Amino acid sequence: KKKLSDEDFRKSLLSKNLPDYYAILQIQNDANPDEIKTQFRKLAKKWHPDRKQGDDAEKKMAQINMAYEVLSNPKRREMYDQHFSKKS
């Protein structure tokens, strides 16, 4: 899969249906990078389509990957936090 460019990511922040990436990864908003990585690995093991059958596993894994891609990148996480806090 192709990674989201910074420009595409900025555009996605304008979406009305912006997902709660913290909820997807089941972490607190102030989680540190190690906590994010640990939780990502735990969920990736649980939801990987090779380990879990069903269409929902592939969809869930895509959400987990996107959440990790955003929250593990300090620049994107900051942009996400700024936009998400405005939507609350």
Side-chain angles (χ1 to χ4, degrees):
K1 291 182 182 176
K2 188 179 160 212
K3 293 217 179 225
L4 213 55
S5 71
D6 281 346
E7 185 58 33
D8 289 339
F9 175 69
R10 273 190 214 91
K11 289 177 185 173
S12 78
L13 291 174
L14 301 175
S15 167
K16 289 186 172 92
N17 299 322
L18 188 64
D20 183 348
Y21 292 135
Y22 293 100
I24 291 169
L25 289 183
Q26 302 167 10
I27 57 174
Q28 298 295 318
N29 292 23
D30 61 352
N32 67 45
D34 287 336
E35 292 169 326
I36 293 169
K37 183 185 272 188
T38 299
Q39 185 64 8
F40 166 74
R41 288 182 175 167
K42 178 180 164 189
L43 292 172
K45 279 183 184 177
K46 178 180 178 181
W47 286 98
H48 196 281
D50 289 347
R51 295 185 70 145
K52 193 160 184 98
Q53 300 301 313
D55 295 334
D56 63 329
E58 203 166 308
K59 188 187 286 186
K60 182 76 171 169
M61 193 64 213
Q63 291 176 331
I64 292 165
N65 280 326
M66 179 56 92
Y68 181 69
E69 185 179 327
V70 171
L71 298 181
S72 65
N73 178 321
K75 185 170 121 185
R76 287 188 178 189
R77 183 177 181 180
E78 184 179 345
M79 291 181 349
Y80 172 79
D81 286 346
Q82 287 171 352
H83 281 274
F84 197 74
S85 66
K86 289 177 190 172
K87 294 192 176 290
S88 300

